[in-house]
Amino acid sequence: MTVVSAFLVPGSPLPYLRQDNAPWQPLAAGYEKVRDALQASKPDALLIYSTQWFAVLDQLWQARPHLTGEHVDENWYEYGDLTIDLRSDTDLVGACIAGCADIGIRAKGVDYDHFPVDTGTIVANNFVNPGGKIPLVIAANNLYHGPGETEKLAAMAVEQADKQGKRLAVLAIGGLSAAYFDEDIDIADDRIRHDADDAANRQLLDALANGDRRSASEALGRFNEGTKADMGMKHLSWLFGATGDFKGAQVHAYGPTYGAGAAVVEFNL
Amino acid sequence: MSQGKIVGGFVAPHPPHLVYGENPPQNEARSEGGWEPLRWAYERARKSLEEMKPDVLLVHSPHWQTLVGHHFLGVPHLEGKSVDPIFSNLFRYKFSLDVDVELAEACCREAAAMGLTTKMMRNPKFRVDYGTITTLHMIRPQWDIPIVGISANNSPYYLSVDEGVEQMDTLGVATRKAIEKSGKRAVLLASNTFSHWHFHEEPDVPEDMSREHPQSYEGYKWDMKMIELMRQGNLKEVMRLFPEWVEEAFAEVKSGAFPWMLSAMGYPEIPAELHGYGTVIGTGNAVMEWNLEKAAARDAAVA
Ligand SMILES: [Fe+2]
């Protein structure tokens, strides 16, 4: 089996930077469970897709062997800085770039120091892969790709890992409902902005917990129709494309990130 | 202290390609040139700016997008390397800039007093966005004038174009009040592309100008219509058509810099000067100037 574990995790830096804030604490605790489960699955590489890394031309892949430095989020800069420590599995990244041609998608690696890696990728890596020991394969969210292309890309990446005989852990980094508070709030009182979003988030999480890929895809379709979701939930499309079928999931945490919905979910493969 | 004033304003778009084409020492990537007409447009704008003798440049950029309110750079000196997330092959620029924190704080206060959510950005490790940097480099490559950097609040996308414009109108008035009280000569920079329809593939040689033209004829026609209205000084009509322009030309002005600048200048019914127009990866870019001081001097001479 190539994919040995798969997780949905939030890309907001808030639960990471303020783990003591009560409404965010469950998400941080959920992230710790993911770290343990992920490490236990002994992956050779982490396959990452974060809704916050935008591409508009080619499909981009992070090709820098080692990225270090400090990152300050453009919105949440007052909550603190994030340490960057990302290592790429450059062999697998190279194979993914080459593999894109076979599925008709133009692709390119980015290999530059000070590249503006997105907050979600940094937060997730810091939570689950402290010290950056597990090498990464990070794919951008091309804004012009729909769920279909996104699934195809993920499946292609798994195929390449399979060819290299590597075990993959999959991280889908992003939120649920996207509506947030657009004015200052007391973060101790953070909650999901709209009740309808809260209900829709819970329904989707139920469907993931108790479904398989087919029923979860249907639930995702309904969720996207009724809810303004984070990037149309393409991170879940990525995960579905990578895992193929799955047998339910464990929802480790669900909560708000400044009004938007977020969850930590571990899929049963 | 005499009253401060807005001496003028520029539409000053930020495709990193323009910096790349110019090959300044700060940028790591090297080119054979490209986008000359637009770069020459900026050359003309640079001369005008020089004559304006501003104490401060205020720039509003779509690529510092903030969810909760309107933010202002609030650290006296910021430096680092800015790598464009989309065009990192073209733009890897070492920047070093000074912020007029006093004026930024004043703008922030005035805007808050008028009911907007505002915030001062105080993190010294903050990475200034590539839109701000490109616009500033293109208009003033010497980097010798302090700046005020203003974020683009997400309201036009999160709420509606109309609600976004309303906030930008308020932000513009607040900006003007703060400048007037400051006693400083200020120039405003709206860091916006017009039509934003773009190609989805980059030529192997990005500066191969045989590949450069408007991606969308509709977008091009919209830009020409709006530029012509600006050249006539008909900003009422510009603002009436604004939502349609945004919608049909996918115009980047949606993000707020352009309406902010017009509001701050009081929607002056003076002819704007077009320094040049050109496309970058198919998008429409105009370098335009409203010289308020010159227009006032002309009026005085006529009277
Ligand atoms: Fe832009």
Side-chain angles (χ1 to χ4, degrees):
Chain A
M1 194 166 73
T2 305
V3 175
V4 292
S5 55
F7 311 89
L8 165 70
V9 291
S12 166
L14 297 173
Y16 181 78
L17 291 168
R18 288 296 298 275
Q19 304 194 17
D20 56 328
N21 185 43
W24 301 338
Q25 202 279 327
L27 292 171
Y31 245 127
E32 278 172 29
K33 286 190 184 144
V34 165
R35 183 195 55 214
D36 294 344
L38 187 146
Q39 304 273 350
S41 73
K42 299 198 179 350
D44 298 310
L46 251 174
L47 179 63
I48 286 185
Y49 179 96
S50 163
T51 53
Q52 293 178 49
W53 181 16
F54 303 157
V56 295
L57 300 177
D58 305 318
Q59 172 60 38
L60 300 181
W61 301 81
Q62 183 54 253
R64 191 88 182 153
H66 193 193
L67 274 164
T68 54
E70 272 179 308
H71 173 74
V72 177
D73 187 81
E74 64 178 358
N75 275 285
W76 310 111
Y77 47 78
E78 63 192 292
Y79 291 93
D81 311 332
L82 294 162
T83 302
I84 305 167
D85 190 0
L86 307 169
R87 266 170 247 272
S88 286
D89 182 333
T90 48
D91 282 349
L92 189 46
V93 167
C96 288
I97 294 168
C100 278
D102 300 335
I103 56 170
I105 293 176
R106 272 175 63 121
K108 196 155 83 173
V110 290
D111 180 1
Y112 305 106
D113 69 338
H114 293 86
F115 183 86
V117 179
D118 71 283
T119 297
T121 295
I122 298 167
V123 164
N125 186 64
N126 286 5
F127 256 129
V128 307
N129 186 25
K133 290 187 192 77
I134 309 169
L136 313 175
V137 176
I138 312 172
N141 161 19
N142 186 307
L143 298 179
Y144 295 98
H145 288 166
E149 281 146 314
T150 307
E151 285 195 21
K152 242 168 54 178
L153 277 164
M156 181 278 297
V158 172
E159 204 183 298
Q160 299 304 328
D162 189 50
K163 280 187 198 159
Q164 297 189 0
K166 284 175 179 161
R167 298 161 62 86
L168 271 188
V170 179
L171 276 186
I173 306 167
L176 302 171
S177 61
Y180 56 87
F181 291 106
D182 56 355
E183 37 189 46
D184 288 319
I185 59 163
D186 179 350
I187 57 170
D189 297 331
D190 195 9
R191 59 179 170 80
I192 304 294
R193 167 104 204 218
H194 302 300
D195 291 345
D197 284 354
D198 188 25
N201 289 335
R202 288 174 191 277
Q203 246 172 36
L204 176 65
L205 292 174
D206 261 3
L208 297 179
N210 302 308
D212 54 15
R213 181 182 177 182
R214 206 173 62 84
S215 65
S217 292
E218 284 164 12
L220 180 58
R222 287 193 297 277
F223 180 76
N224 273 328
E225 269 168 39
T227 316
K228 197 168 178 269
D230 183 13
M231 286 286 155
M233 299 302 292
K234 281 199 294 178
H235 45 312
L236 260 193
S237 303
W238 178 268
L239 186 141
F240 292 167
T243 56
D245 204 8
F246 58 89
K247 305 166 203 71
Q250 291 158 270
V251 178
H252 290 308
Y254 165 60
T257 51
Y258 224 87
V264 179
V265 180
E266 177 181 354
F267 289 78
N268 305 324
L269 304 178
Chain B
M1 187 170 72
S2 61
Q3 185 173 289
K5 66 172 167 182
I6 297 171
V7 194
F10 292 86
V11 172
H14 57 252
H17 306 66
L18 304 181
V19 173
Y20 168 71
E22 186 183 302
N23 290 316
Q26 296 100 323
N27 197 28
E28 207 174 85
R30 295 287 111 184
S31 72
E32 298 173 27
W35 304 278
E36 282 78 4
L38 260 176
R39 292 196 284 114
W40 295 334
Y42 261 116
E43 248 177 53
R44 288 160 51 93
R46 286 172 182 176
K47 276 193 199 121
S48 275
L49 183 83
E50 175 74 30
E51 285 166 15
M52 289 174 173
K53 299 198 185 338
D55 301 311
V56 59
L57 305 175
L58 291 90
V59 55
H60 187 286
S61 164
H63 298 293
W64 180 17
Q65 200 178 46
T66 50
L67 306 177
V68 186
H70 305 262
H71 300 207
F72 300 81
L73 295 180
V75 177
H77 182 79
L78 288 158
E79 60 181 40
K81 186 170 175 185
S82 172
V83 176
D84 185 295
I86 308 287
F87 297 106
S88 34
N89 52 330
L90 311 182
F91 188 81
R92 304 186 299 278
Y93 185 99
K94 281 211 176 85
F95 70 94
S96 169
L97 59 84
D98 292 319
V99 176
D100 184 338
V101 177
E102 197 182 53
L103 181 57
E105 284 170 347
C107 292
C108 185
R109 261 197 317 274
E110 295 286 350
M114 292 181 73
L116 294 180
T117 299
T118 62
K119 195 163 282 180
M120 292 300 298
M121 196 300 296
R122 307 283 192 190
N123 189 323
K125 293 177 191 160
F126 189 79
R127 187 180 57 212
V128 180
D129 73 280
Y130 55 98
T132 297
I133 292 169
T134 298
T135 287
L136 285 167
H137 174 90
M138 290 313 296
I139 199 85
R140 188 72 182 174
Q142 302 92 317
W143 292 95
D144 56 352
I145 303 172
I147 68 129
V148 170
I150 310 174
S151 79
N153 176 255
N154 198 32
S155 51
Y157 304 91
Y158 189 53
L159 304 172
S160 67
V161 174
D162 289 347
E163 285 167 282
V165 168
E166 206 179 303
Q167 289 203 24
M168 298 321 296
D169 182 80
T170 306
L171 184 67
V173 174
T175 304
R176 179 172 69 235
K177 283 186 188 172
I179 290 169
E180 284 172 355
K181 289 180 191 170
S182 75
K184 288 170 183 163
R185 296 169 60 79
V187 167
L188 309 182
L189 304 169
S191 179
N192 277 162
T193 288
F194 287 173
S195 166
H196 211 257
W197 297 118
H198 60 81
F199 298 117
H200 289 243
E201 288 179 7
E202 195 177 41
D204 291 334
V205 177
E207 60 270 40
D208 176 355
M209 291 295 105
S210 70
R211 306 280 299 276
E212 191 61 84
H213 59 87
Q215 194 272 353
S216 150
Y217 183 39
E218 281 311 306
Y220 176 79
K221 282 194 289 190
W222 261 110
D223 285 359
M224 290 308 120
K225 180 166 157 177
M226 299 304 269
I227 290 169
E228 179 60 2
L229 288 169
M230 292 175 212
R231 292 177 68 240
Q232 290 164 1
N234 192 351
L235 292 183
K236 269 201 193 82
E237 189 62 3
V238 167
M239 288 316 291
R240 192 185 70 79
L241 292 171
F242 186 82
E244 263 181 88
W245 181 28
V246 160
E247 177 68 25
E248 292 179 17
F250 186 39
E252 201 190 29
V253 290
K254 179 176 182 177
S255 59
F258 180 72
W260 158 77
M261 180 174 80
L262 295 191
S263 161
M265 296 192 300
Y267 304 96
E269 302 265 308
I270 59 167
E273 185 169 358
L274 176 71
H275 288 302
Y277 179 88
T279 63
V280 177
I281 197 150
T283 66
N285 295 273
V287 181
M288 301 193 73
E289 172 183 346
W290 282 260
N291 195 319
L292 301 185
E293 200 166 49
K294 249 192 203 163
R298 260 199 312 269
D299 284 355
V302 170

